[in-house]
Amino acid sequence: MSEIRELALRCRDASRAVAALRTEDRDAMLRAMADALLADAPAILAANAQDLDAARDKGVAAAMLDRLRLDDARLAGVADALREVAALPDPVGQVTRRETRPNGIVVERVRTPLGVVAMIYEARPNVTADAAALCLKAGNGVILRGGSEAIRSNQAIATALHRALEAAGVPAAALTIVEDLRRETMVELLQLTDIVDLAIPRGGEGLIRFVAEHARVPVIKHYKGVCHLYVHADADQDLALRLLVDGKVSRPSACNALETLLVHADVAGVFLPRAAQALRAHGVELRGDAAARALVPGMGEATVEDYDAEYLDLVIAVRVVDSLEAALDHIRRHGSDHTEVIATRDSAVAEAFVQALRSAVVMVNASSRFSDGGELGLGAEIGISTTRLHAYGPMGLEALTVERFVVRGEGQTRNIHG
Amino acid sequence: MSEIRELALRCRDASRAVAALRTEDRDAMLRAMADALLADAPAILAANAQDLDAARDKGVAAAMLDRLRLDDARLAGVADALREVAALPDPVGQVTRRETRPNGIVVERVRTPLGVVAMIYEARPNVTADAAALCLKAGNGVILRGGSEAIRSNQAIATALHRALEAAGVPAAALTIVEDLRRETMVELLQLTDIVDLAIPRGGEGLIRFVAEHARVPVIKHYKGVCHLYVHADADQDLALRLLVDGKVSRPSACNALETLLVHADVAGVFLPRAAQALRAHGVELRGDAAARALVPGMGEATVEDYDAEYLDLVIAVRVVDSLEAALDHIRRHGSDHTEVIATRDSAVAEAFVQALRSAVVMVNASSRFSDGGELGLGAEIGISTTRLHAYGPMGLEALTVERFVVRGEGQTRNIHG
């Protein structure tokens, strides 16, 4: 048996111990994980410093170094996040429906852990602890395959977390760090269809496409977030401007940041110059179609690539549309099924926008930046799905469980009686 | 562009018209589909007669010929099933949760169609109409790739159903029959990840493994149902006997039929002879371990293969176990995550059985034959999933939808205000 298969089997066996913990014991284990992280801070930060040195030597880009870097404040933030996960309601065992059938059998739908979740991600040590906590909270085993640049940090974090697991009577294998970081080993992990119940890739589009292409286990993913704001003719323009600025500039690197602004022709003449002024004050570059450029001096030209782009940067594509239908057509052609926003005063127009689009999150008069598990009330977020199966949009703890059937009877039979 | 890709794209475009229908119009379309089937009965039965002739010439087995055969009564049954689907509650647009967040945004979870569902199945023309009705009812487009032996029947059925679609203003492409039945075309269909949202294979294990192996789109499936009945030491033996006989003999070819009987050693001496007598009266062959054979003269020997077998026939494997834990170990080793049953009077033992197993359906004192969408209250069944994602166990209309987020605000922003 290959080493990765053996690791995965051990994780699956250990996951049964996680699922069997009472809620209060599982929550106590998560709090102990937070304590262990802080207790091991010196060792974790020392390992992280080694990772950072090696990454610098390799010439890794500054943005990636920043995501890799831990310090006391960041570690405290991770520990706080673990305590927040501990405090969330336990999804395991929740009875979502109960029905007594005419023959007297009682049918319940009960949330149960998925089993084993494989997280595939880049060099972000905070994800190691976050994702582990969410998977364990939902009663699962977790296999963590992070980026090679973070391997020492991840090992040090796992060493700390494993103490908390073992104190709770859970085998350390329930939280398994993959140390063999060869691509072919990851591919083998992604093809363990009899062991791994779900793979969640998090990171750049290249990583996600690699996982989607090679996985034979189910994958929940999103490639990118090309989020639109459509400003209808009747929109409150101050409101629309707030949504635009918040959506574009508050965190341009987030997948729920706005990438394209669509403005109804009837208000473009008034709205676009204001929008350009407000965005430029935040350093945003605008790229528009001919109609938009005619209204805003100095605006660059938008190509088709611009309308498909997830800039993740202070750039926005702009287009003037003649109607709601034209806005919907644009979103259908260029959207990524992530998050779309309409600004309008007309509830019928809003409803038409909501119904016509199939995106995971559709917003009326609210910022695209609310497209986030915490903001939408999920308590935490393990990822975002634009796969229209199981979970669609931000995924919280419930998305790490599945509903099964529990039936209780008094000897009822279907066809043969007596 | 390949022909199958073009067909799938047309189906996706047409699916928007299905999703956009009001509930009453979609239901009327389904009733019109039932009427059209009956109106076209002569043409459908003539096409079916041609399929049967060709299948006989090919030397197709009798059981398959029976599944392929339509007659007036069977066609009436299919039409009735379509009317029953029409009468089910509409899952599309159901608001499953609504929450007002502290900042005042209102977050709804709303059921929305999956999009395009590809059904891959064998030569069963009734599935063509059934599966189409369920997918359309849930607002989806459907691509039907049935067995080649049923192609004329499927085409005749589709001709009838298309009239009902077009009368409702829905393009016929929303219900697409694949007429190019080459394997490579099926593989291409199963890899249209940007168009097909879900593939559901139905049929023998070979077909399902082929689909699972080649698909890149999400697949929901179950390979087989190795369902267990465990008779605990304290079970009401008359009750256990009823569950055993109903589970094994009422429809041995069904995936929810019992395949293995586990009996606690304390009651095996009394129960097994009774069980053998009752089962043999129905023509069932028993194959047991040494302990079971010692109690039942003439019982054949069970091998490991027997304990893994889905007989789909009048055969049952038997094993005597020393404890609940031994029964659980057996099920964990040999089960298929489909359906398991315990007969016991002790609610604590029942609860331990339910909690320890991860099967899709776990029953206490009720027949495994209730593991069926209709019997469990889903109204209808598109398939059964032992994939622990999205749906687990019998799948009804809800499993053909996904929940998305609809957010309504009054201009709220996340980080940048005013």
Side-chain angles (χ1 to χ4, degrees), chain A residues 312-378:
Chain A
L312 300 174
D313 203 351
L314 290 174
V315 184
I316 193 164
V318 182
R319 185 170 203 167
V320 176
V321 293
D322 289 331
S323 63
L324 169 66
E325 200 47 54
L328 293 171
D329 277 347
H330 179 99
I331 295 171
R332 284 194 197 106
R333 186 161 314 122
H334 300 284
S336 59
D337 283 349
H338 194 295
T339 301
E340 328 300 346
V341 181
I342 185 171
T344 178
R345 285 191 170 98
D346 186 332
S347 61
V349 169
E351 203 49 33
F353 184 83
V354 168
Q355 294 310 322
L357 293 176
R358 46 173 268 160
S359 303
V361 186
V362 184
M363 308 243 186
V364 178
N365 296 331
S367 172
S368 66
R369 297 274 294 114
F370 291 125
S371 188
D372 166 278
E375 295 293 329
L376 295 180
L378 304 185

Side-chain angles (χ1 to χ4, degrees), chain A residues 180-249:
Chain A
D180 172 357
L181 298 174
R182 289 174 299 169
R183 282 260 155 153
E184 58 264 36
T185 302
M186 173 164 56
V187 168
E188 195 184 344
L189 170 65
L190 292 169
Q191 302 192 344
L192 295 173
T193 50
D194 56 335
I195 309 175
V196 174
D197 295 287
L198 174 64
I200 303 179
R202 275 173 61 171
E205 202 176 333
L207 173 73
I208 295 171
R209 290 205 182 273
F210 182 87
V211 170
E213 188 180 327
H214 291 90
R216 298 296 168 267
V217 306
V219 176
I220 290 189
K221 63 183 184 296
H222 83 278
Y223 289 123
K224 54 182 185 176
V226 181
C227 305
H228 296 79
L229 167 64
Y230 167 56
V231 180
H232 192 57
D234 72 342
D236 175 328
Q237 295 202 16
D238 291 336
L239 179 155
L241 208 56
R242 284 201 306 277
L243 301 187
L244 174 63
V245 174
D246 188 60
K248 183 67 252 181
V249 313

Side-chain angles (χ1 to χ4, degrees), chain A residues 61-79:
Chain A
M64 190 172 176
L65 286 178
D66 183 57
R67 288 194 292 269
L68 174 57
R69 181 178 299 112
L70 291 175
D71 55 29
D72 280 313
R74 287 186 177 184
L75 212 49
V78 174

